[in-house]
Amino acid sequence: LSARVTMQLVEQTHHLLDTDGGRSVHATTRVRLAMEVSAQAEDGMTVERFASFDGQSLAALPDEETVFKAALRLRREVVALREAPLASPFSGPAILDGRAAAVFFHEVFGHRLEGHRQRSRSEGQTFAQKLDAPVLPPFLDVVDDPTAASLNGQPLAGHYVVDDEGVASEAVGLVEGGGVRDCLRGRAPGVGGGR
């Protein structure tokens, strides 16, 4: 039905001055090559597939062969989705793997540890009263570390040196031994105190 490839290169220099006398200047470069395809099933439903390659320079993008293979995979997947029968409703356990597991964990767990969400009555406030309470198996720790620029050679999109409030980035231990120890916070007072 449709196919689109876009490439975006964004170079920014952030200048920040705050009322506490903080001052910072830092530059960032982000590159994204994105591909999306869609098809329409016989019943009229639109099905879509998407892939992207992200980096901090043009050199970080994959070679032409890798991009071409990804495009062919997207085409195969969208055609298979177009021909697939509708899934029946299902209630039960599910096993998530790879990128799906990461996105699921980020959405249903990660956002719930953001301090501004714990203060807002329009949010779930899932962990507002759970500091030091077990929420994961005891063998799991969760750390938000914006100082990490890459993992196993893969650039990380969440890396930054200074945040939007002029605070230098640092790792924050959110869950230790399965228990909530902290939440992500800005300069506004939040759940659990601290800075």
Side-chain angles (χ1 to χ4, degrees):
L1 187 64
S2 69
R4 184 167 68 174
V5 176
T6 57
M7 184 163 178
Q8 183 180 40
L9 184 138
V10 177
E11 291 183 324
Q12 294 177 317
T13 301
H14 301 267
H15 296 266
L16 185 99
L17 300 170
D18 67 26
T19 57
D20 293 333
R23 161 182 263 165
S24 69
V25 177
H26 65 280
T28 59
T29 301
R30 290 176 294 133
V31 179
R32 169 173 270 197
L33 175 64
M35 300 180 289
E36 54 188 304
V37 295
S38 70
Q40 189 169 22
E42 198 169 304
D43 65 359
M45 179 187 292
T46 301
V47 293
E48 301 170 316
R49 296 300 293 144
F50 173 84
S52 66
F53 301 96
D54 298 281
Q56 296 163 349
S57 70
L58 287 172
L61 294 179
D63 61 22
E64 186 177 341
E65 181 182 349
T66 301
V67 173
F68 188 69
K69 285 180 181 177
L72 290 177
R73 178 181 51 81
L74 290 179
R75 182 185 182 282
R76 281 192 311 273
E77 290 174 359
V78 80
V79 168
L81 282 172
R82 182 185 67 198
E83 304 303 323
L86 284 176
S88 299
F90 169 77
S91 177
I95 296 175
L96 301 176
D97 189 28
R99 194 173 209 153
V103 171
F104 182 79
F105 189 80
H106 166 84
E107 292 297 332
V108 300
F109 192 82
H111 282 306
R112 304 273 191 235
L113 287 168
E114 294 171 353
H116 72 278
R117 295 178 191 273
Q118 302 303 317
R119 292 189 311 273
S120 174
R121 291 185 181 191
S122 64
E123 295 286 347
Q125 299 181 330
T126 306
F127 299 116
Q129 306 300 318
K130 299 277 188 189
L131 284 178
D132 296 322
V135 295
L136 292 173
F139 60 85
L140 286 177
D141 294 341
V142 177
V143 177
D144 184 282
D145 188 1
T147 67
S150 64
L151 179 64
N152 298 328
Q154 178 70 34
L156 299 174
H159 167 67
Y160 58 88
V161 176
V162 177
D163 72 14
D164 292 339
E165 294 177 328
V167 178
S169 65
E170 63 182 63
V172 178
L174 301 171
V175 176
E176 293 175 11
V180 176
R181 297 293 178 252
D182 206 348
C183 64
L184 297 172
R185 64 185 95 244
R187 289 180 180 256
V191 176
R195 54 188 186 89

